[in-house]
Amino acid sequence: MAKINILDSSIYNRIAAGEVVERPASVVKEFVENSIDAGAENITVRIERGGKDLISVSDDGSGIEKSELYSAFLPHATSKIEKVEDLDEIRTLGFRGEALASVASVANVTLKSKFKEAQEAFCLTCSGGKAGEVMPCALECGTEIVAENLFFNTPVRAKFMKTDKGEESEVSSVVARFILGNPDISFKYYIDGKLSVQSFGGGLDEAVAAVYGAAAIAECYHLDAVKHGIRLRGYIGKPSYTKPNRTYQSTFVNGRFVVNNTVSSAVSNAYASYLMKRQYPFYVLFIDVPPEIVDVNVHPNKSDVRFENNQVIYGSIYSVVSAVLDGNASALEYVVKDKEDRREPSAYQNEKEASAAEPLSPNALQDAPLRAADPAPAGVPFPEAVRNPSAATPRDGITLTFHDSGAVRRQEEVPVPPAFAEQLSGKADLASSEKKTEPTAEADVFAENKRYLEMLDKKAKQQKLVFENAVYKGSLFNTYLLYEEGDSVYIIDQHAAHERLIFDRLCEEMKTRKIVRQPMLVPFVLSVNREEFAFLSDNLANIADIGFEIEEFGTNSFKISAVPVDLQDIDLSAFFSELLGEIGDLRGIRLTELLRDKIAMTACKHAVKGGMILTDSEKEKLFEMLQGDMGLKCPHGRPVAVKMTKYEIEKMFKRIV
């Protein structure tokens, strides 16, 4: 039996760092959360090389006493909780005490702090988990923490980090969420010494404008509603204001950014009847609930929460968002009509509740903005409607029976159906048996491949119906051409046939041509968010390979100066919107499929249309171009020709029974 070892702190801190510190963005998140919990009103974030070389976060918070600087780097040391009961009502962003110890074990960390009641500041350096001495230093107020050379002693982790731009994008996304989630705090964010984003702590309007631009606010509804004791506030985009992916969606539960399936499902289903496929709503939503009914300690990175009653959370969000989108009378109580110059409260985070006006009647909408009542303050028991959904009164306007349809699902492991499990097991057994089986002779392998290719060739020949004696018999509806051969008649869709011929020609030209670009008279400027910018930056070479002349153009934007000559009529906005619809690794096959769709669209535009009258020479030319191949399909999958036999026709007319 193996010997049981008691791990040294230098080892278990690195293990903990594997969960807490995934990349530079994780370090920024932990540092900024500590600043917010310290009551900071001004926070400055600096990174270099995407945070690989340097991460610095400074604030004007309450600071740390000299005697507690060492303790701050100890595992599970925290000022946020004292007893086990505190876990039931967590009101801070940080509480587990793992962050500093984990970061200090994989980086060189310097902590400077001046306690608000102290006369001087002190600093402590910790490198690779080993702390130095506490020394006096110069610092006006608050705390400044710097992490350098992240993963310097863990090269395996460093190897799996993204490019500098990729890591920079991750950090930028984290900072943007903090700006949105804490609109009453002023943020400055520097990238390689250059100021990238700044907010002034003037409220949610300013925060949204700093992250997404002022134009986004004009395309949104401003909500402030209370439903079943749950307060829902923030911005949701109008149905016409859609995005190509989910990176424009932010949810904050009691001030904490989360990605929660219950919330996202409620919003998505409310928008379902308004959005087309691959379109996503824009929203920045704050959900304030009593802390005792939400568990924030269910995810290693605290990026998700668990609600005591998912059905009520889902129903409340769905009913409010649906009412606003549908324009129901109840929406008058949810929408903030006028812009208000106020600082948005972060309920249950700092216990500073905003004073709300009395709700007005719908008739008074033109006179003053409507505001819903604030939720019950911390410590008040959660409403009975939440603990017992059947207690909801009819005037709340929703019932909870529709949740049985499965719209809300907990984030649990989905069981594999027995049949599929057996199939997987069978495949695994087959794979293992194949590994154990001796390899067959090389000649047998080639013979098997040859038989397979011959079978494919045979199928292709069967689909290619070549005929030489077809006779043109006329057209139907100026769309379908009729050709008779023997006991068969072929009905050809003139648009589908011409579209396929043009498509094949364009595809062949794309394969054999050198890249030919069509310069644009006025360059097209594409504005994107941080994640999309990093995605496109990493794949500029792939996009250029298909004929686009594209380059970075300022902050979060690109300039397209030329397009492939074959696609000179392309809708660039739609093209890049579709390209950004699947943020991730841009593989060649994905780009090829997208380009194929655009070529198909070009072919469709230039093909003869149904209903057009063709001359005899045009009909004859089109028939010759098909070369007798009646098995073709248009680029969209529709058949070019349909064959009917004399027997099938006579059976239709009951000549044959």
Side-chain angles (χ1 to χ4, degrees):
M1 184 174 178
K3 180 182 177 181
I4 298 177
N5 299 313
I6 305 300
L7 297 179
D8 183 76
S9 61
S10 62
I11 300 176
Y12 64 66
N13 279 341
R14 286 202 199 180
I15 295 174
E19 290 187 354
V20 178
V21 187
E22 293 182 4
R23 52 178 26 97
S26 306
V27 178
V28 173
K29 176 179 178 292
E30 299 292 345
F31 288 175
V32 175
E33 284 182 349
N34 285 337
S35 296
I36 294 173
D37 289 339
E41 295 184 356
N42 297 277
I43 299 175
T44 301
V45 181
R46 302 174 188 272
I47 64 169
E48 292 181 6
R49 284 194 61 226
K52 298 176 184 178
D53 286 355
L54 179 137
I55 297 170
S56 171
V57 176
S58 57
D59 63 62
D60 58 354
S62 58
I64 305 172
E65 293 188 57
K66 175 185 176 181
S67 59
E68 294 182 340
L69 286 178
Y70 272 118
S71 301
F73 286 98
L74 295 178
H76 309 296
T78 178
S79 61
K80 317 299 172 58
I81 58 176
E82 295 181 3
K83 53 188 182 300
V84 68
E85 289 77 15
D86 293 340
L87 292 174
D88 297 329
E89 296 188 14
I90 293 175
R91 306 173 188 275
T92 55
L93 298 178
F95 57 89
R96 294 191 298 214
E98 297 174 315
L100 280 184
S102 299
V103 175
S105 67
V106 293
N108 299 321
V109 178
T110 301
L111 175 62
K112 298 180 180 180
S113 188
K114 180 179 181 296
F115 188 57
K116 59 183 178 181
E117 298 177 359
Q119 298 297 320
E120 57 182 338
F122 295 90
C123 70
L124 175 63
T125 299
C126 189
S127 178
K130 298 179 180 180
E133 296 183 4
V134 176
M135 303 288 291
C137 67
L139 188 67
E140 185 176 347
C141 64
T143 300
E144 178 183 330
I145 184 166
V146 178
E148 299 176 285
N149 300 323
L150 188 62
F151 299 128
F152 77 96
N153 57 353
T154 318
V156 175
R157 296 295 303 278
K159 184 172 62 176
F160 285 94
M161 282 198 290
K162 297 181 180 180
T163 62
D164 294 353
K165 280 289 185 182
E167 295 297 347
E168 176 188 306
S169 172
E170 294 283 345
V171 175
S172 299
S173 297
V174 169
V175 173
R177 293 164 189 163
F178 278 120
I179 292 174
L180 293 172
N182 303 273
D184 54 340
I185 297 178
S186 172
F187 284 88
K188 288 183 180 180
Y189 174 45
Y190 292 86
I191 299 176
D192 296 328
K194 184 177 180 180
L195 181 62
S196 177
V197 179
Q198 182 174 6
S199 70
F200 299 94
L204 187 56
D205 287 358
E206 283 190 9
V208 173
V211 175
Y212 296 116
I217 298 176
E219 298 293 336
C220 294
Y221 299 113
H222 189 183
L223 305 183
D224 197 339
V226 172
K227 195 80 170 179
H228 299 311
I230 300 164
R231 186 180 183 191
L232 183 69
R233 55 192 176 86
Y235 286 96
I236 62 171
K238 297 176 182 177
S240 59
Y241 188 57
T242 61
K243 295 298 178 181
N245 52 64
R246 298 185 186 276
T247 60
Y248 292 84
Q249 300 176 353
S250 301
T251 302
F252 301 89
V253 176
N254 291 355
R256 183 189 305 276
F257 175 82
V258 298
V259 179
N260 183 266
N261 187 55
T262 300
V263 176
S264 61
S265 296
V267 178
S268 296
N269 290 339
Y271 274 91
S273 60
Y274 293 95
L275 303 183
M276 297 178 64
K277 188 177 180 181
R278 293 182 181 176
Q279 289 184 340
Y280 301 92
F282 171 98
Y283 60 82
V284 179
L285 285 181
F286 293 79
I287 302 166
D288 296 330
V289 299
E292 63 267 20
I293 62 93
V294 59
D295 186 357
V296 300
N297 195 25
V298 297
H299 193 279
N301 296 328
K302 298 177 289 187
S303 61
D304 194 8
V305 295
R306 179 182 295 146
F307 296 105
E308 182 177 306
N309 193 317
N310 278 339
Q311 286 189 332
V312 172
I313 299 295
Y314 179 97
S316 301
I317 296 172
Y318 179 88
S319 62
V320 170
V321 176
S322 294
V324 173
L325 297 178
D326 295 342
N328 294 345
S330 58
L332 296 173
E333 300 178 5
Y334 305 149
V335 177
V336 179
K337 180 175 179 290
D338 297 325
K339 179 180 177 181
E340 298 175 1
D341 186 12
R342 58 188 173 85
R343 296 164 72 88
E344 290 291 334
S346 181
Y348 308 110
Q349 178 181 322
N350 52 21
E351 299 191 45
K352 292 182 180 179
E353 294 292 330
S355 58
E358 290 271 334
L360 302 178
S361 64
N363 295 332
L365 179 62
Q366 302 300 324
D367 299 327
L370 293 179
R371 295 293 312 280
D374 284 341
V380 176
F382 205 42
E384 182 62 23
V386 177
R387 298 194 181 278
N388 181 13
S390 62
T393 58
R395 63 183 176 83
D396 286 324
I398 63 166
T399 59
L400 300 173
T401 55
F402 63 87
H403 298 298
D404 294 335
S405 62
V408 181
R409 291 186 289 273
R410 293 180 181 272
Q411 290 188 329
E412 299 174 346
E413 187 174 355
V414 180
V416 180
F420 188 57
E422 293 175 3
Q423 183 180 356
L424 291 177
S425 176
K427 288 182 178 179
D429 294 339
L430 178 61
S432 61
S433 64
E434 288 177 353
K435 290 180 180 179
K436 296 177 182 178
T437 305
E438 291 294 329
T440 57
E442 187 176 352
D444 292 340
V445 175
F446 285 121
E448 185 178 350
N449 290 343
K450 184 177 180 181
R451 285 194 298 271
Y452 178 71
L453 294 174
E454 288 175 349
M455 181 186 68
L456 293 180
D457 187 53
K458 183 179 179 181
K459 285 185 177 181
K461 288 182 178 179
Q462 288 175 350
Q463 291 181 347
K464 188 171 183 178
L465 308 173
V466 181
F467 52 91
E468 298 177 352
N469 301 319
V471 179
Y472 175 68
K473 291 295 184 178
S475 66
L476 296 175
F477 317 119
N478 292 325
T479 301
Y480 304 102
L481 309 180
L482 304 179
Y483 286 85
E484 179 185 337
E485 184 191 38
D487 289 341
S488 300
V489 60
Y490 295 91
I491 307 173
I492 301 175
D493 183 336
Q494 65 184 32
H495 172 71
H498 196 207
E499 183 181 359
R500 176 55 190 258
L501 295 173
I502 295 175
F503 175 78
D504 287 345
R505 176 177 60 81
L506 290 175
C507 286
E508 187 62 29
E509 289 177 355
M510 289 291 289
K511 289 179 183 178
T512 58
R513 70 163 174 60
K514 295 180 179 179
I515 296 178
V516 180
R517 296 183 174 91
Q518 172 65 51
M520 302 179 66
L521 184 62
V522 179
F524 176 80
V525 177
L526 175 69
S527 297
V528 294
N529 64 17
R530 293 281 183 180
E531 293 181 36
E532 294 169 337
F533 183 84
F535 172 69
L536 292 175
S537 295
D538 291 341
N539 294 282
L540 287 181
N542 292 334
I543 299 172
D545 285 345
I546 64 174
F548 289 94
E549 186 176 309
I550 181 172
E551 60 183 329
E552 295 182 10
F553 187 67
T555 304
N556 293 345
S557 62
F558 292 89
K559 181 176 69 174
I560 295 92
S561 304
V563 298
V565 69
D566 301 315
L567 303 175
Q568 53 187 307
D569 296 330
I570 192 172
D571 183 342
L572 287 172
S573 180
F575 177 85
F576 283 99
S577 178
E578 188 173 352
L579 181 63
L580 294 170
E582 297 178 10
I583 291 292
D585 294 333
L586 180 62
R587 298 178 176 87
I589 185 171
R590 166 66 182 152
L591 202 54
T592 302
E593 290 174 355
L594 187 58
L595 189 60
R596 182 188 183 280
D597 292 342
K598 299 308 172 185
I599 294 176
M601 189 178 298
T602 300
C604 185
K605 288 181 179 179
H606 291 84
V608 296
K609 304 297 187 290
M612 290 179 62
I613 300 176
L614 304 183
T615 64
D616 292 340
S617 60
E618 289 172 335
K619 296 172 185 175
E620 183 178 348
K621 182 64 176 177
L622 179 61
F623 187 72
E624 289 177 359
M625 291 169 65
L626 286 173
Q627 297 179 349
D629 192 349
M630 298 293 104
L632 291 175
K633 296 183 183 296
C634 84
H636 303 99
R638 298 194 308 273
V640 166
V642 175
K643 175 185 176 182
M644 296 187 68
T645 63
K646 180 180 179 182
Y647 175 83
E648 291 172 336
I649 295 175
E650 290 185 338
K651 190 157 184 161
M652 289 170 57
F653 285 98
K654 307 298 182 183
R655 287 179 173 270
I656 299 176
V657 181

